[in-house]
Amino acid sequence: MFDIGVNLTSGQFDKDRDAVVARAFEAGVSGMLLTGTNLQESQQAQQLASRYDNCWSTAGVHPHDASHWRPETADALRELAAQPEVVAIGECGLDFNRNYSTPQEQEHAFSAQLALAAELSLPVFMHCRDAHERFIALLTPWLDKLPGAVLHCFTGTREEAQACLASGLSLGITGWVCDERRGLALRELLPVIPADKLFFETDAPWLLPRDLPVKPSSRRNEPCYLPHIITQAAMWRGEDAEWLMQQSDENVRTLFGIRF
Ligand SMILES: [Zn+2]
């Protein structure tokens, strides 16, 4: 089982990062992709990935941080992406839900990162919230130049899922799907996603699954809860959990070109 979205650089893990990683592997997680959300955190994620076994990282600038994008940011990301731990460009994309950066800044940073990924022949690890139409419009010209593309933490509608799949995107599913209040629509569309386009992630420390059999004392999510998310998703898809774990591992190996 491979967690494609762990924000291990988060300050929430400062006190016990080694223990969090150890707990994940003890729980059956076999690898992790550590998310970089700005230049500094992408550098930190790469360093963490080099410190732990079976960890890799992304290098990119999240839409929330797009206002800090500079022409030289692409050069710094290019340099970072030369490290063997870095296997994708991202987290990049659009988030018109909060607009911490203006839509113009977000679109500029997203397009620049798509160009960088195409230049480096790296897959992209993307984020999209309340921006589906512009997201597809900006991404489409790059699709045949990218070796792969995954939209992480997919929480959109069935129509949006179908449009993403028609564009050849893979979808990352988090513990959002375990939320009995706001995750039901996602739960219902899960069977629409072909098994070879399906990835799983915790997005730790965010999005603690709400239906864990034993409630943890803190709200902090950890990669050790990945097996729970996949087991639940397999149930809602009507598939064997073991089989889905193996299939999604295979998807990770194919998309990111890694061995674990
Ligand atoms: Zn995200």
Side-chain angles (χ1 to χ4, degrees), residues 62 91 127 152-153 203:
H62 191 282
E91 175 173 357
H127 171 110
H152 107 104
C153 193
D203 208 21

Side-chain angles (χ1 to χ4, degrees), residues 8 16-29 32 52 222-224:
L8 198 63
D16 61 347
R17 199 166 273 111
D18 290 351
V20 167
V21 172
R23 258 198 299 279
F25 287 116
E26 277 160 29
V29 174
M32 296 182 240
Y52 299 113
E222 290 191 22
C224 68

